[in-house]
Amino acid sequence: MFEKVALIGVGLIGSSLSHAMRRANLARTIAASARTEATRAAVRRLGLADEVYEHAADAVKGADLVILCTPVGTFDALAQEIAPHLKDGAILSDAGSVKQAVVDAVAPHLPPHVHFIPGHPIAGTEFSGPESGFAELFDGRWTILTPLPDADEAAVAKLKAFWEACGAHVEIMEPKHHDLVLAITSHLPHLIAYNIVGTVADLEEEKKSEVIKFSASGFRDFTRIAASDPTMWRDIFINNKEAVLEILGRFTEDLAAMQRHIRWGEGDKLFDKFTRTRAVRRSIIDAGQESPEPNFGRTPAPKKD
Amino acid sequence: MFEKVALIGVGLIGSSLSHAMRRANLARTIAASARTEATRAAVRRLGLADEVYEHAADAVKGADLVILCTPVGTFDALAQEIAPHLKDGAILSDAGSVKQAVVDAVAPHLPPHVHFIPGHPIAGTEFSGPESGFAELFDGRWTILTPLPDADEAAVAKLKAFWEACGAHVEIMEPKHHDLVLAITSHLPHLIAYNIVGTVADLEEEKKSEVIKFSASGFRDFTRIAASDPTMWRDIFINNKEAVLEILGRFTEDLAAMQRHIRWGEGDKLFDKFTRTRAVRRSIIDAGQESPEPNFGRTPAPKKD
Ligand SMILES: NC(=O)c1ccc[n+]([C@@H]2O[C@H](COP(=O)([O-])OP(=O)(O)OC[C@H]3O[C@@H](n4cnc5c(N)ncnc54)[C@H](OP(=O)(O)O)[C@@H]3O)[C@@H](O)[C@H]2O)c1
Ligand SMILES: NC(=O)c1ccc[n+]([C@@H]2O[C@H](COP(=O)([O-])OP(=O)(O)OC[C@H]3O[C@@H](n4cnc5c(N)ncnc54)[C@H](OP(=O)(O)O)[C@@H]3O)[C@@H](O)[C@H]2O)c1
C-alpha cells in the first residue's frame, strides 16, 4: 500500500502500528525514530522497523506516510523538525488523542505539498512502550480522521484504507467535534478517576489503608484508570482544555444537584435520575457497543510468552 | 449450624445465601418471605426455602437466625412487624449496604432477648431477583459485621462462623466507620457513575448518539454501573447521607482544583497529581486486592444452563 512508512515514536501505538502493517503487508519499508537508545534497541530487537533513527528528520526522508506516535505535547517541535524533510505529496498523520490542538500545532509548519490528515485510533491498553504493541490492537475499534476543509480527497481515502487494513473502522469528523465527543466519552471519565483516587491519596493513613483493603467494592477499578500514563494525560487535558472544561461544567452542575437531593433526602428525585440513566445503557447495547468486560477504552493485551 | 434460618426478601443476596447455606449445610430448615407471589413462586420452584411465606412475621417464627435481605428503606417497618415474633435468643442480622441507619431503624423496635448484629456482605453482581443468586457469591469476599457495644460475644462469634462457612472473610467494625469506608470505596464511585451518565442523558440528541457510538473509549463502563438497581441505591444514598456528603465534599474540592489546573494550563501540577495516584494503585496490588478484571464491586455471575 505504501513504499515507505515512518513512525515517529514507538510506544504502544507505534509498535502496534508496526505489527498491524506487517500483518497486512502495508509498507515495503518501515522507518522509525525514537529518542532513547533503549527504545531504539527494542525496536531493532523486535524487528518493528527496517530503519531505526534517533532523529525524526532522518526517519521521514522519502516516506509516503509519516505518523506521529509521541505525546501530543511534542508535536509542535516535531513538526518544525520534520517539515523541511517531508517528501513531495507525503501524507502526514498522527495518533494523538486530541485533534484541534494538533491541527494548531502542526499545520502552520508544513509546506503546501504535504497532505496533513490528523487521526486518532480509539484503542489502547494499560501498558506502554515498544514491547506493549500487538497487531490486533485496532481490530474492530474506531479510528477517527479529522482532515482540514481543503484536504486532498485521494489522500484521505488512502489513509482511510490504511487504517481499515490495520483492522479499524474509520469515521471522518471535524477536529473540534472529535474533541468534544472524546471529552465526554474518554477525557472526563479519566479525569474523574484521577480525581477520586487523588482524594483517597490525601486521606489520613489509617482510613486510606482501609479503603485499600476494601477497594474491591468499586473503587479499585478507578485506580487502574488512574494509573494511566501521566505525560499522555497531562497533554490531553492541556490540549483539550475548552471541551473538557465545558463538559466538566455540566458534570459539576449535575453533581451539585445530586448533592442537594441527598442532603434534603429527596429520594424520588434520586430514583428518577437512577432510572433515567438505564436508558443510556440500553442505547449502548442496541448500538452494539456493549461487551461484558468493563475495559475503560482499553483492549486487554494478549498474553506474551 | 442453625436449626432454622429465616431470609426476609429473596433477591440476589437472599437467594445466594440460600445456595451458600445448602452448599455448606448450615441450616436444617430455611424459611423465607417475599412480598410478591412471583418471587414466592420462584423460591418454591428453585427450592430456595423449605417454607415460603408472604409475611415476614410468619417466616421468623422459631428461627435461630433471621437475615433481612430487602432494601434498607424497608427495615424500619420490617423490624416493627417481626419484633413480637422473634424467638428468645434469636440472632437478627441483615445484608444492608449501610449500617448506622440500619441500627437506628431496627434497634429501637427489638426486645432485649434478641441479638441484633448488623452485617454487610461486600459482594454483588449486576443482576437482581431470586434467579440471580449462586452459592459462590461470597467466596473470598469480605463481610463486615457491626455489632453494638453491648453485643453478646457468643452470638457475634456464631454469626462470624456462619459467614465464614458461606465462604466470606469477616471483619468487625463500628457502624459509622463502615459507612465512611463504604462511602469512599463504593457509594461515591456509584454516585459519580450515575452522575456522568445523567449528564450524557441530558445532552442534545445528536451529541448523545455519537457518545453512544464511541462509548467504548471509557464511558461505556460507567453506564453499566449506572444501570444498578435504583431502589437499592436511592436507599443507600438517603441512608448514608452524612458520610457520602463528607467524602463528596472532598471530591468536589479536589475537582475544582483540577479544573483550575486545566484552565490555567498548569501541566506540572496535573502531572504531579497523575503520578501520585499511581502509588494508591501499587498499594492495592501489594494488598492482594488486585484482579485483572475491572468489576466495580461485582462478581461475574456464573453462566446458567
Ligand atoms: N495509549 C493509549 O491508550 C492511546 C490511545 C490512542 C491514542 N494515543 C496517543 O498516541 C500517542 C502515543 O501514545 P502511546 O500510548 O503509544 O505512548 P507510549 O507507549 O508511552 O510511547 C510514547 C512514545 O513517545 C516517545 N516520546 C515521549 N516523549 C517524547 C518526547 N518528549 N520527544 C520525543 N519522543 C517522545 C517515547 O519515546 P521513548 O520510548 O524513547 O521514551 C515513546 O516512543 C499519544 O499522542 C497518545 O495521546 C494513545
Ligand atoms: N446487590 C448488591 O450488590 C448488594 C450487595 C451487598 C448488599 N446488598 C444489600 O442487600 C439487600 C438486598 O439486595 P439484593 O441485591 O438482594 O436486592 P434484589 O435482588 O433487588 O432483591 C430485593 C428483595 O427485596 C424485596 N423487596 C423489595 N422492596 C420491598 C418492600 N418494599 N417490601 C418488602 N420486600 C421488598 C424484593 O421482593 P420481590 O422480589 O417480591 O419484589 C426482593 O425479594 C439490600 O439491602 C442491599 O443494600 C446488595
Side-chain angles (χ1 to χ4, degrees):
Chain A
M1 187 177 271
F2 290 99
E3 275 301 312
K4 179 170 177 178
V5 176
L7 301 172
I8 309 306
V10 190
L12 170 68
I13 301 294
S15 62
S16 293
L17 270 173
S18 166
H19 289 296
M21 283 192 277
R22 303 279 200 208
R23 178 181 69 173
N25 202 9
L26 304 179
R28 196 182 304 269
T29 305
I30 300 179
S33 70
R35 74 177 158 166
T36 58
E37 174 50 34
T39 297
R40 292 193 295 274
V43 170
R44 279 187 216 103
R45 191 177 64 250
L46 300 165
L48 296 171
D50 308 297
E51 305 171 6
V52 187
Y53 301 96
E54 181 177 355
H55 297 293
D58 296 321
V60 305
K61 276 175 194 149
D64 310 291
L65 171 63
V66 174
I67 307 180
L68 306 180
C69 301
T70 54
V72 293
T74 66
F75 287 6
D76 189 321
L78 276 176
Q80 288 190 53
E81 178 188 341
I82 64 175
H85 307 281
L86 291 167
K87 182 174 144 176
D88 230 41
I91 297 175
L92 173 63
S93 190
D94 73 300
S97 307
V98 303
K99 297 272 60 85
Q100 184 61 50
V102 167
V103 171
D104 297 344
V106 173
H109 302 300
L110 301 179
H113 61 75
V114 169
H115 301 297
F116 176 47
I117 309 168
H120 176 206
I122 304 182
T125 72
E126 46 187 316
F127 304 105
S128 52
E131 323 249 0
S132 61
F134 51 99
E136 301 76 21
L137 179 63
F138 310 110
D139 287 353
R141 306 299 300 265
W142 290 101
T143 289
I144 297 179
L145 300 181
T146 63
L148 305 185
D150 59 351
D152 180 76
E153 279 181 31
V156 174
K158 194 156 184 198
L159 187 61
K160 181 167 184 281
F162 170 82
W163 276 107
E164 286 167 352
C166 288
H169 305 301
V170 175
E171 178 92 359
I172 309 278
M173 256 187 214
E174 300 212 333
K176 271 198 188 301
H177 190 74
H178 163 279
D179 290 353
L180 185 62
V181 171
L182 268 290
I184 304 170
T185 57
S186 170
H187 307 171
L188 181 62
H190 278 80
L191 187 70
I192 282 167
Y194 274 121
N195 195 65
I196 194 171
V197 178
T199 302
V200 167
D202 289 341
L203 286 176
E204 309 80 272
E205 270 315 315
E206 8 107 54
K207 253 186 223 155
K208 187 159 56 181
S209 70
E210 275 193 316
V211 168
I212 285 161
K213 184 164 175 186
F214 300 107
S215 61
S217 53
F219 171 71
R220 190 193 63 204
D221 297 314
F222 282 106
T223 69
R224 180 181 292 105
I225 315 168
S228 301
D229 187 60
T231 307
M232 168 174 152
W233 283 98
R234 175 199 64 197
D235 284 5
I236 288 174
F237 292 117
I238 296 296
N239 289 291
N240 197 17
K241 185 186 295 199
E242 227 177 279
V244 169
L245 289 178
E246 150 73 17
I247 191 70
L248 184 55
R250 292 191 189 211
F251 173 85
T252 51
E253 264 173 42
D254 293 347
L255 194 62
M258 204 82 107
Q259 191 166 8
R260 264 188 76 86
H261 297 328
I262 294 174
R263 191 179 301 284
W264 297 103
E266 298 170 342
D268 294 359
K269 298 225 170 111
L270 289 176
F271 186 86
D272 285 351
K273 289 207 173 170
F274 297 171
T275 306
R276 212 157 40 88
T277 51
R278 289 190 150 178
V280 176
R281 175 99 190 128
R282 229 166 294 122
S283 313
I284 284 175
I285 291 170
D286 294 347
Q289 287 286 302
E290 172 47 0
S291 105
E293 313 83 29
N295 67 22
F296 271 94
R298 290 167 181 73
T299 304
K303 294 234 162 45
K304 307 239 168 169
D305 26 35
Chain B
M1 185 176 276
F2 290 99
E3 275 301 312
K4 180 171 177 179
V5 176
L7 300 172
I8 309 306
V10 191
L12 170 68
I13 301 295
S15 61
S16 294
L17 270 173
S18 166
H19 289 297
M21 283 191 277
R22 301 281 200 208
R23 180 181 67 175
N25 203 9
L26 304 180
R28 197 183 302 271
T29 305
I30 300 178
S33 71
R35 73 177 161 167
T36 59
E37 175 48 34
T39 296
R40 292 193 294 275
V43 170
R44 278 187 218 101
R45 192 177 64 250
L46 299 166
L48 296 170
D50 308 298
E51 305 171 5
V52 186
Y53 301 97
E54 181 177 355
H55 297 293
D58 296 320
V60 305
K61 275 174 198 153
D64 312 290
L65 171 64
V66 174
I67 307 180
L68 307 180
C69 303
T70 53
V72 293
T74 66
F75 286 6
D76 189 322
L78 276 175
Q80 287 189 55
E81 178 187 344
I82 63 175
H85 307 279
L86 290 167
K87 182 174 142 174
D88 230 40
I91 297 176
L92 172 63
S93 191
D94 72 300
S97 308
V98 303
K99 297 273 58 85
Q100 184 59 51
V102 167
V103 171
D104 297 343
V106 173
H109 303 299
L110 301 181
H113 62 76
V114 168
H115 302 297
F116 175 47
I117 308 168
H120 175 206
I122 305 182
T125 71
E126 47 186 314
F127 303 105
S128 52
E131 324 249 0
S132 61
F134 51 100
E136 300 77 19
L137 179 64
F138 311 109
D139 287 353
R141 305 299 302 262
W142 290 101
T143 288
I144 297 179
L145 300 182
T146 63
L148 304 184
D150 58 350
D152 180 78
E153 277 181 31
V156 173
K158 194 156 186 198
L159 188 61
K160 181 167 185 278
F162 171 82
W163 275 107
E164 285 168 350
C166 288
H169 305 300
V170 175
E171 178 92 0
I172 309 277
M173 255 187 219
E174 301 213 330
K176 271 197 187 300
H177 191 73
H178 163 278
D179 290 354
L180 185 62
V181 171
L182 269 289
I184 304 172
T185 57
S186 171
H187 307 170
L188 181 62
H190 279 82
L191 187 69
I192 282 168
Y194 274 121
N195 195 64
I196 193 170
V197 179
T199 302
V200 167
D202 288 340
L203 286 175
E204 307 82 90
E205 270 315 316
E206 5 106 54
K207 252 185 227 156
K208 187 159 53 180
S209 68
E210 277 195 314
V211 168
I212 285 161
K213 184 165 174 186
F214 300 107
S215 60
S217 52
F219 172 71
R220 189 193 63 205
D221 297 313
F222 282 106
T223 69
R224 178 182 294 106
I225 315 166
S228 302
D229 187 60
T231 307
M232 167 173 153
W233 283 98
R234 176 200 63 198
D235 284 5
I236 287 174
F237 292 116
I238 294 297
N239 289 291
N240 197 18
K241 188 187 292 199
E242 228 176 279
V244 169
L245 289 178
E246 149 74 15
I247 191 69
L248 184 56
R250 293 191 190 210
F251 173 85
T252 50
E253 264 173 43
D254 294 347
L255 194 61
M258 204 82 106
Q259 192 165 7
R260 266 188 75 86
H261 296 328
I262 295 174
R263 191 180 300 285
W264 297 103
E266 298 170 341
D268 294 358
K269 298 223 170 111
L270 290 176
F271 185 87
D272 285 351
K273 289 207 173 169
F274 297 171
T275 305
R276 213 157 41 87
T277 52
R278 289 190 150 179
V280 176
R281 175 100 191 127
R282 227 167 296 123
S283 315
I284 285 176
I285 292 170
D286 294 347
Q289 286 287 303
E290 172 46 1
S291 106
E293 312 83 32
N295 67 22
F296 271 93
R298 289 164 180 75
T299 304
K303 295 237 159 43
K304 308 236 168 171
D305 26 36

